Each structure stands twice: as C-alpha cells, then as structure tokens.
Amino acid sequence: MESSEVRASGYWYGDDPEARTGVDALNALRRYRVAETAMRRRTRSALRMNETDMMALRFIVNAEREARAVSPKDLAGYLGISSASTTVLVDRLVASGHLSRAKHPSDGRAVVLAVTPTTHADMQETFGDMHRRMMAVARQLDAHEATIVTSFLEQMSHAVSHEEK
Amino acid sequence: MESSEVRASGYWYGDDPEARTGVDALNALRRYRVAETAMRRRTRSALRMNETDMMALRFIVNAEREARAVSPKDLAGYLGISSASTTVLVDRLVASGHLSRAKHPSDGRAVVLAVTPTTHADMQETFGDMHRRMMAVARQLDAHEATIVTSFLEQMSHAVSHEEK
DNA sequence: GGCAGGTCGCTAGGCCGGCTAAGCACTTGG
DNA sequence: CCAAGTGCTTAGCCGGCCTAGCGACCTGCC
C-alpha cells in the first residue's frame, strides 16, 4: 500500500544515487535471511548432513573449544529435541565417523561426546572462511556505524519477538 | 580467539557507553536470526501449521494482493518442493479450511488456488502487527543510516553466499 | 549398608512431510 | 487428429522427529 513512497525520502541526501531508505534496509535484511538459509542448505548438502546434525556438531566443537564436556542431555536441551531423538542423532553421527561416545569418568550413567579430529578440521574448513569474511565486513564498521547497525538489529529483534501487544 | 579486543575500537566515540564495534553488530545479527526463528516457531504452533504450509499461505496471500493467480506448480517452484508434495500440501490446507481449489478458466489441467476469507483475515492479524512494528523501526532510519545498514547487510549476504573462493 | 526414587541414555513404535515413479486428464503442434 | 508435452494426482518409500517405557546407575534417607 505504501510502495509509491519507497524512494521518496532522499530529501537531505538530495538525489545521491546511493541514498537508501529504511524500507531498503528492511529488504536487505530479508535478503540476508534468504542468503543465510541458502548457505545452510548448501553446507548441509555438501556435508551430507541435516540441519540438526550440523547444529549439534557446531555446538560440540564450540564446547570443546572452551574445554566443556557435552552429554547427550546437554545436546538435547540445546537443540530442543527429545532425549530419544538425541540418541538416534548421536548414533547417526557416530556411524558417520563425526562423533565418538566415551564413558563419563565419575557418573556411570552419563556419556561424554567428542568430535573426531577429522570432523574438527572439516568444520574449521567449512565455516572458517565464511566466518573470516563476515568478521572482515564487521571490522570495517567504525564505532558510529556499528552503533547504527546494532541498534537497528536490536530494534528489529524486538519488533519480531514482541508477541504481547 | 579475538574476544579480548571486542570493545577496543571506541577511539572516536571516546568512551561513550553507547559505542559499539563491528563484532557487536555481528552478534546483533546473530541474535536477530535467533529471534526470527523463534517467531516463526511460535507462529507455526499458534496456527497449528508447519513452516512450509505457512510459507505457502503467505505466498498465496501476497499473490492475491497483486491479483496474480497461483497454481500448484507456482507454489512448488516457490517452495522448492516436488509437485507431488505440493499436491499433498494443498490437500492439507484445503482440509484445514485455509485454501480452496478452483478450475483454471481456460486450461482444464490447471488448478487455481485461493485462500479462504477467514485465513486472509487470520494472516493479516498474525503478521500485520509485526510487519507494522518492523516498518516503524525501518522508517526511523534517515537516508544516511539506511545506507549504512543496507550496505552492511548486503556485504553480509555476500560474505555468506560466497561459496567460490 | 541398603533400598526408594530420580536421572541418563536407549529401544520400540508411530507420525509427518518430504521424495520418486507412474498414471490420468487435458492441451497443443505437426 | 494423434503424439508428445504439461499439470496434477496417487502410491509407496524414507528420514527424522515424537512419546512411552525400560534397564543401569546415582543418591539421600533410614
């Protein structure tokens, strides 16, 4: 209904062809989401793995980075799936050689999960470059710009979360 | 590895407590994604519907807004699922009273999909407020800010899409 | 010390939503 | 006017989630 005024607010940027409006920013945000979703799908199919399995591996890799042990229960909580589904998920990842199960040193019921060295390297390779590119873009922002971007995204998060009227 | 310098670049904002860095912006982007994902899950469960069905309805509603007829084939293409799955999806949505099938006026093979008035209203109600809130945030940006935000998001999209080295 | 109740992970079985293959109804080009 | 193409559907399969329920183990109370 308001598409006719989309480009109407260049009043103080004059007719700078680079001038953008808030609506452009909104569209860019939508496009980013699409790009990210596509990236996830690509990664998933490249590694022959579903989204949940991906997230599980990333979670465990990150936990290992800070020397934190991960149990199936932790994983289930993080992923928001049942413990039964988690068992099957871990089975899959063990079968595909990405993960190993080990007994918990002090609790006989518990299991400690660890990624195999190969997988650790694969994850690094798969996400390392992308993460570096994103970081490079982020670092280009000066404090002024970072504040604007951060504030915009925080407000958008709020707009999206705000279920109460 | 670089967490120790996260807040180190406030050099020209001085010690303004509001000053942010690119890394903050990156984190805000990640948080936005989480918020959006959560919103989708909430909506889905509120409407007792899966993600694909949601997207299908939104697609059809938007198409109707611009008086464009939607066939199952169009839907399949948009959603990236097979025509068989689309048939079943349409069956579901017709059964739940969200959608109706009608014969195409000139092509006897084709089907035209339309949402029921109730659904149209429901969708409006469900997404209307959120969309308005997002639009309100977007409109607060002046051209300068919008340019910064848009450029950041475009570069991030690129960073994420860039699969070729 | 030993048992009652809680916790952890597993197995079994069901459902949902995707897929491919194949078929039917209709359109269209030679 | 029929052969090939197109749109949608049906049939049957599979992956990944779920709940229910089990055995092994831990722990707090007597």
Side-chain angles (χ1 to χ4, degrees):
Chain A
M1 70 174 76
E2 55 274 278
S3 63
S4 61
E5 57 175 301
V6 161
R7 307 280 311 183
S9 57
Y11 58 93
W12 78 261
Y13 250 64
D15 32 23
D16 180 348
E18 288 295 327
R20 296 282 183 277
T21 70
V23 177
D24 293 319
L26 208 49
N27 286 331
L29 181 57
R30 188 176 49 70
R31 281 198 305 275
Y32 171 77
R33 212 194 66 80
V34 171
E36 212 207 64
T37 302
M39 176 274 290
R40 282 168 182 269
R41 200 176 49 239
R42 258 185 285 119
T43 306
R44 232 174 43 187
S45 76
L47 275 68
R48 303 288 181 82
M49 203 175 291
N50 68 41
E51 185 68 28
T52 313
D53 293 10
M54 276 313 325
M55 286 179 66
L57 284 185
R58 296 183 75 166
F59 178 67
I60 298 174
V61 166
N62 288 334
E64 287 185 354
R65 187 164 297 154
E66 41 194 270
R68 188 160 42 79
V70 175
S71 71
K73 183 188 174 68
D74 299 333
L75 201 50
Y78 174 71
L79 296 173
I81 64 178
S82 70
S83 75
S85 302
T86 305
T87 295
V88 179
L89 177 151
V90 171
D91 285 347
R92 265 197 309 272
L93 292 177
V94 168
S96 61
H98 291 295
L99 222 56
S100 69
R101 277 188 176 97
K103 279 183 185 296
H104 189 284
S106 61
D107 187 335
R109 298 164 302 178
V111 164
V112 175
L113 303 173
V115 300
T116 58
T118 319
T119 302
H120 207 288
D122 283 357
M123 298 290 288
Q124 202 71 10
E125 190 189 344
T126 304
F127 293 108
D129 282 356
M130 184 187 73
H131 190 247
R132 249 188 305 283
R133 284 194 303 270
M134 295 178 79
M135 197 56 96
V137 170
R139 285 191 187 292
Q140 282 172 14
L141 298 180
D142 60 36
H144 167 66
E145 294 164 342
T147 302
I148 290 168
V149 171
T150 303
S151 161
F152 174 77
L153 291 172
E154 280 170 352
Q155 288 181 78
M156 278 298 167
S157 298
H158 188 249
V160 137
S161 307
H162 210 300
E163 57 205 308
E164 315 295 310
K165 68 144 145 338
Chain B
M1 71 173 73
E2 53 275 277
S3 62
S4 60
E5 56 176 303
V6 161
R7 307 279 311 184
S9 57
Y11 60 92
W12 81 260
Y13 248 64
D15 33 23
D16 181 347
E18 288 294 327
R20 296 282 184 274
T21 69
V23 177
D24 293 319
L26 207 49
N27 286 331
L29 182 57
R30 188 177 47 71
R31 282 198 303 275
Y32 171 77
R33 211 194 67 80
V34 170
E36 211 206 65
T37 303
M39 176 276 288
R40 283 168 182 268
R41 200 178 48 240
R42 257 185 285 117
T43 307
R44 231 174 46 187
S45 78
L47 276 67
R48 302 288 180 82
M49 203 174 290
N50 69 41
E51 185 69 29
T52 314
D53 292 9
M54 278 309 325
M55 286 177 66
L57 284 185
R58 295 183 77 167
F59 177 68
I60 298 172
V61 166
N62 287 334
E64 286 185 355
R65 188 163 298 152
E66 40 194 270
R68 188 160 42 79
V70 174
S71 71
K73 183 188 172 70
D74 299 332
L75 201 50
Y78 174 71
L79 296 172
I81 63 178
S82 69
S83 72
S85 303
T86 304
T87 295
V88 180
L89 177 151
V90 171
D91 286 346
R92 267 199 306 275
L93 292 177
V94 168
S96 60
H98 292 295
L99 223 55
S100 69
R101 277 188 175 96
K103 281 184 185 296
H104 189 284
S106 60
D107 187 336
R109 299 163 302 177
V111 164
V112 174
L113 303 173
V115 300
T116 59
T118 318
T119 302
H120 207 288
D122 284 357
M123 297 289 289
Q124 201 72 9
E125 190 188 346
T126 304
F127 292 108
D129 282 356
M130 185 187 73
H131 190 248
R132 247 188 306 283
R133 285 194 302 270
M134 295 179 79
M135 197 55 96
V137 170
R139 286 191 186 292
Q140 282 173 14
L141 299 180
D142 60 34
H144 167 65
E145 294 164 341
T147 302
I148 290 167
V149 170
T150 304
S151 160
F152 173 77
L153 291 171
E154 280 170 353
Q155 288 180 79
M156 279 297 168
S157 299
H158 188 250
V160 138
S161 308
H162 209 301
E163 57 206 309
E164 316 295 309
K165 71 146 125 1

